Amino acid sequence: QKEVEQNSGPLSVPEGAIASLNCTYSDRVSQSFFWYRQYSGKSPELIMSIYSNGDKEDGRFTAQLNKASQYVSLLIRDSQPSDSATYLCAVWDTGRRALTFGSGTRLQVQP
Amino acid sequence: DAGVTQSPTHLIKTRGQQVTLRCSPKSGHDTVSWYQQALGQGPQFIFQYYEEEERQRGNFPDRFSGHQFPNYSSELNVNALLLGDSALYLCASSPGQGAYEQYFGPGTRLTVT
């Protein structure tokens, strides 16, 4: 069974620091990767997508992909208390034509 | 530009009952996928609808069924409800069946007692 693994956390960082969230996946042929943010009691919100090896930056967010190591990460610069949420890593399963999600990493940004 | 909408927001049902959840996709999107999210877990794929047909299905029993209408909106039906069906049900829409970005609606919180 294809898996997406994330550390459940909580990951606690001080305000203004860089938060680093990591994700590994088991399906070597995966090509499309997504990060979602989910506030408590709310639905997932898409924040980043990445398809090629390397870095992709969008504002304070940087997604990093290393297909050889089957590793995806999300960096949040200048972390704010409003960034406190659960971050879900999702990998596109070509066979099922669906997203496979990790269980999420809970981030806490301390003021 | 309206995003994905879902109804109802919350629902309480008794074991053995049936429930119907509804979803309208984001404007310009023709594909709807349904996910179930248990507390503390990531969303689990139930099935996907495209061109009014179920195209893909996850590891869910036949008690879970759905429908897509010509205007791309969709319904999720669950029969013979079990306590374990209590979860957040999420609808996601995308502009096609491929590895496109999927956008989620606010979800329906189902509680089975």
Side-chain angles (χ1 to χ4, degrees), chain A:
Chain A
Q1 182 172 342
K2 298 167 186 174
E3 295 181 343
V4 178
E5 300 287 341
Q6 294 183 257
N7 188 318
S8 62
L11 172 66
S12 185
V13 300
E15 184 175 354
I18 296 175
S20 178
L21 305 161
N22 305 314
C23 169
T24 59
Y25 58 95
S26 64
D27 187 0
R28 186 169 292 278
V29 303
S30 297
Q31 298 291 323
S32 306
F33 307 86
F34 306 88
W35 283 99
Y36 287 82
R37 176 175 62 196
Q38 187 171 27
Y39 292 112
S40 181
K42 303 295 186 182
S43 65
E45 173 191 8
L46 179 66
I47 53 174
M48 290 287 285
S49 59
I50 186 166
Y51 305 95
S52 303
N53 277 331
D55 295 0
K56 178 181 177 183
E57 187 174 317
D58 184 359
R60 295 186 298 113
F61 298 101
T62 298
Q64 299 176 317
L65 174 60
N66 184 326
K67 293 182 182 178
S69 299
Q70 295 175 235
Y71 179 92
V72 192
S73 64
L74 179 71
L75 302 178
I76 306 175
R77 290 182 298 281
D78 188 25
S79 294
Q80 301 297 309
S82 59
D83 294 325
S84 297
T86 295
Y87 289 81
L88 297 163
C89 173
V91 178
W92 179 257
D93 182 333
T94 304
R96 292 193 312 164
R97 291 189 177 184
L99 292 173
T100 299
F101 283 84
S103 295
T105 298
R106 188 158 64 94
L107 173 66
Q108 293 178 341
V109 181
Q110 306 295 333

Side-chain angles (χ1 to χ4, degrees), chain B residues 13-24:
Chain B
K13 291 287 189 178
T14 303
R15 274 181 302 175
Q17 287 188 317
Q18 178 264 345
V19 68
T20 297
L21 311 182
R22 295 176 176 83
C23 170
S24 290

Side-chain angles (χ1 to χ4, degrees), chain B residues 17 19 36-37 42 52 65 71 77 90 100-101:
Chain B
Q17 287 188 317
V19 68
Q36 179 196 66
Q37 187 176 25
E52 301 180 48
S65 63
N71 66 352
N77 301 292
L90 296 161
Y100 301 101
E101 295 176 345

Side-chain angles (χ1 to χ4, degrees), chain B residues 11-14 85-87 109-113:
Chain B
L11 207 49
I12 300 175
K13 291 287 189 178
T14 303
D85 295 332
S86 296
R109 173 72 62 187
L110 172 65
T111 302
V112 182
T113 62

Side-chain angles (χ1 to χ4, degrees), chain B:
Chain B
D1 178 21
V4 181
T5 60
Q6 290 186 245
S7 64
T9 305
H10 295 89
L11 207 49
I12 300 175
K13 291 287 189 178
T14 303
R15 274 181 302 175
Q17 287 188 317
Q18 178 264 345
V19 68
T20 297
L21 311 182
R22 295 176 176 83
C23 170
S24 290
K26 183 179 171 66
S27 178
H29 288 185
D30 58 6
T31 301
V32 173
S33 301
W34 287 91
Y35 293 82
Q36 179 196 66
Q37 187 176 25
L39 203 61
Q41 300 297 316
Q44 298 291 314
F45 174 67
I46 303 175
F47 43 53
Q48 181 190 80
Y49 276 84
Y50 173 71
E51 291 187 337
E52 301 180 48
E53 290 189 13
E54 182 183 300
R55 298 292 179 170
Q56 300 293 331
R57 190 177 185 93
N59 296 325
F60 280 81
D62 291 344
R63 297 187 298 109
F64 290 77
S65 63
H67 188 78
Q68 185 178 36
F69 299 93
N71 66 352
Y72 309 122
S73 67
S74 176
E75 289 182 348
L76 164 65
N77 301 292
V78 187
N79 295 321
L81 285 167
L82 303 174
L83 294 179
D85 295 332
S86 296
L88 179 66
Y89 287 84
L90 296 161
C91 166
S93 75
S94 56
Q97 290 183 272
Y100 301 101
E101 295 176 345
Q102 294 190 3
Y103 294 87
F104 285 91
T108 295
R109 173 72 62 187
L110 172 65
T111 302
V112 182
T113 62

